[in-house]
Amino acid sequence: MTSPDATRTAPRPSALGRFASPVLLLAAMWIVQAADAILPGSFTGFGLRSWDLEGLTGILVGPLLHANWQHLIANSVPLLVLGCLVAVEGARRFWVVTLLSAVVGGLGTWVLNAPGTLTVGASGLVFGYFGYTVLRVFAPGRVSHRILYAVVAVIVIALYGGSMLAGVVGVREGISWQAHLFGAIGGGLAVFLGRGRSRAT
């Protein structure tokens, strides 16, 4: 049993510790892509295949896979930037947002894409992190925190809002607007998930 004083004086994770999760996630994607380039065959077949029950495993595996190096590089910077903004609240919050973005984004893609369509890439997570950072201002909490989140949201919209909108509306063939849209919805839902429980503990 811990005393209130011990709880108040418990050390908080350092900035480096908080940002370790998105860095490790991105590193895993680069390792997988390197292995895919070296080993025979292709890992992309393990991605999300719409309307195929066996393809549902791609909900969790698909974000780690990319069609080529250009695809991975295009996702890397926004994933790291937006992922770190989510990870400011801690590793647990980062992984909750990541999981919900992957699951909601994957299910929406699986249902709405043409049967047999193969989807890979971390863009659904990127959109999930974007949705979370933009909607986080509406989460219950201190006024000072919500003001800070509002400032962050404005900056994020200014930097990525145009590309995020273009990723849903009028995308070219071969790009999954479904993963983008539902990934953002998953990130938005994560804003409210578990917050009441975390305040009570």
Side-chain angles (χ1 to χ4, degrees), residues 4-154:
D5 290 338
T7 303
R8 283 196 296 267
T9 58
R12 291 186 176 183
S14 64
L16 183 62
R18 289 176 183 271
F19 299 149
S21 293
V23 170
L24 289 175
L25 178 60
L26 182 59
M29 294 176 186
W30 279 77
I31 291 171
V32 168
Q33 183 63 30
D36 194 17
I38 295 170
L39 298 176
S42 175
F43 292 171
T44 55
F46 296 102
L48 178 67
R49 194 174 296 277
S50 296
W51 292 76
D52 183 347
L53 291 178
E54 293 183 359
L56 283 172
T57 58
I59 288 177
L60 298 180
V61 178
L64 298 175
L65 307 174
H66 290 81
N68 49 50
W69 286 107
Q70 291 76 15
H71 188 200
L72 174 58
I73 291 169
N75 281 331
S76 293
V77 173
L79 185 142
L80 188 60
V81 172
L82 295 172
C84 285
L85 289 176
V86 175
V88 166
E89 293 187 68
R92 180 179 179 181
R93 174 58 49 178
F94 172 80
W95 291 114
V96 167
V97 177
T98 299
L99 181 61
L100 202 56
S101 299
V103 171
V104 175
L107 288 175
T109 302
W110 190 85
V111 171
L112 292 184
N113 241 335
T117 302
L118 185 66
T119 304
V120 295
S123 57
L125 299 184
V126 172
F127 276 74
Y129 300 152
F130 175 82
Y132 182 83
T133 54
V134 169
L135 295 179
R136 184 167 52 182
V137 65
F138 299 108
R142 298 178 182 175
V143 174
S144 58
H145 287 175
R146 297 178 71 177
I147 292 174
L148 177 60
Y149 294 155
V151 172
V152 171
V154 170

